[in-house]
Amino acid sequence: MVECPRRQRGARRERSKWKPWLSRQAWAARYVTWNSVLDFPFAGDASPSPKTPVLMPLTFFFPNVVLGEAGVKGNKGNYGFPGLKGQKGKGEMGDEGIQGAEGKQGEKGEQGSKGDKGDLGPAGVTGPSGPKGVAGSKGGRGAPGRKGARGAKGARGDAAKLLRSAFSAGLSKPFPPPNVPIRFDKILYNDQDDYNPATGKFNCSVPGAYVFAYQLTVRGRPARVSLVARSRKVAKTRETLYGQEIDQASFLTILKLSAGDQVWLEVAKDWNGVYVSAEDDSIFTGFLLYPDVFEVLL
């Protein structure tokens, strides 16, 4: 539609009266770009940023302006700078909503870590006895038990046979021959007949410990006396005497003998001053001190 030229001239006059300071070319622009600092509130922008390009319609400032035909589309402009991040808004908490419907059961989750050991529960009811098990191996010997009470006195048993062996014999003639058993043929005690006066030797019939002793009179010459056991001289004594002097020699010892062992006394050559008379004696004695029980039982 073409407008009347007269009407167009009238409108131009009205516009020039309202804003005479604007040039004619300014009215041909449809939009204007403001690059200066604006302090204009926009919806959703609490604080406009300075130096921000703002594009707004010209008709916003000049409502009575009549716009001409649109010009040719210009080239695409460059992207502007991104605006600053606005402040985070915080609204008031709304009312609690209605509880929704119960959802479907979710998938089975992964097994959790093992928890701490719980407290010991109360003891349960005792169950029935199980079947008898197989007998185990024999255990070690236990510690000795406590001493029991004394038992009743038993019946009197048979008297044990006492083991005895003893002899004592004196010399009947002075100065016995050397290096042979001295024959003490004057018997004082020989109930078990373990001493033989014909040989002057004692024969052991009961094994054990024996005591042997002699008491000899020495006169006119020295005496060297040896105690022989099992054909070995086990003890030796000496008495030195000359002239008509008289002295006494004595000796005692303990020997362990086995059954069948023999014991005797003998003097050395030129040392046989063993004497005997009506008033002086020379005696050889021996007796069992205690038997060797183990050898007797065997």
Side-chain angles (χ1 to χ4, degrees):
M1 178 179 179
V2 180
E3 205 173 356
C4 178
R6 187 179 295 179
R7 187 177 297 179
Q8 291 178 354
R9 286 192 298 268
R12 283 196 297 268
R13 283 194 297 268
E14 291 294 328
R15 288 193 294 270
S16 61
K17 289 180 180 180
W18 186 49
K19 294 290 182 177
W21 49 270
L22 290 174
S23 64
R24 182 173 300 180
Q25 287 81 5
W27 301 114
R30 189 172 181 178
Y31 294 93
V32 61
T33 300
W34 294 74
N35 293 324
S36 60
V37 178
L38 295 179
D39 188 12
F40 186 82
F42 289 89
D45 190 357
S47 57
S49 301
K51 299 295 180 180
T52 302
V54 177
L55 183 67
M56 53 184 60
L58 182 64
T59 56
F60 180 83
F61 298 97
F62 305 100
N64 296 325
V65 173
V66 177
L67 302 178
E69 295 181 0
V72 180
K73 183 176 181 180
N75 297 328
K76 185 177 180 180
N78 297 326
Y79 287 101
F81 296 100
L84 299 178
K85 185 177 181 180
Q87 297 181 353
K88 185 176 181 180
K90 183 178 180 182
E92 297 181 357
M93 186 174 181
D95 298 335
E96 184 178 358
I98 303 173
Q99 184 175 1
E102 183 177 359
K104 297 181 181 180
Q105 183 176 358
E107 298 179 357
K108 184 177 180 180
E110 298 180 358
Q111 184 174 359
S113 59
K114 186 177 181 180
D116 298 334
K117 185 177 180 180
D119 299 333
L120 184 66
V125 180
T126 304
S129 300
K132 185 176 180 180
V134 180
S137 58
K138 185 177 180 181
R141 187 172 184 177
R146 293 183 297 176
K147 185 177 181 180
R150 186 173 182 178
K153 186 176 181 179
R156 185 173 182 178
D158 298 334
K161 181 181 179 181
L162 296 178
L163 301 176
R164 299 175 180 177
S165 179
F167 76 95
S168 184
L171 189 65
S172 60
K173 295 178 181 180
F175 312 120
N179 300 324
V180 293
I182 301 174
R183 291 185 296 176
F184 294 87
D185 52 1
K186 186 179 177 181
I187 299 300
L188 301 177
Y189 179 85
N190 193 25
D191 288 357
Q192 290 79 31
D193 293 329
D194 289 335
Y195 175 72
N196 186 353
T199 60
K201 295 180 180 181
F202 168 78
N203 297 292
C204 177
S205 60
V206 179
Y210 284 81
V211 175
F212 292 95
Y214 60 76
Q215 180 72 30
L216 304 177
T217 301
V218 180
R219 183 179 181 180
R221 66 187 73 173
R224 178 174 288 177
V225 182
S226 299
L227 177 66
V228 182
R230 296 182 293 271
S231 301
R232 184 172 64 90
K233 294 179 181 181
V234 295
K236 301 175 183 179
T237 61
R238 181 175 59 178
E239 181 66 28
T240 303
L241 193 65
Y242 295 96
Q244 297 300 317
E245 295 180 3
I246 298 178
D247 203 355
Q248 299 290 325
S250 62
F251 177 81
L252 184 144
T253 189
I254 299 175
L255 297 178
K256 182 178 181 181
L257 301 178
S258 300
D261 291 342
Q262 292 182 331
V263 180
W264 67 86
L265 293 178
E266 63 180 42
V267 292
K269 184 179 181 181
D270 300 330
W271 291 74
N272 62 338
V274 178
Y275 179 76
V276 65
S277 67
E279 296 179 359
D280 301 296
D281 290 313
S282 294
I283 299 173
F284 180 37
T285 302
F287 60 90
L288 175 65
L289 182 62
Y290 60 85
D292 191 340
V293 179
F294 295 102
E295 288 194 24
V296 172
L297 295 177
L298 292 175

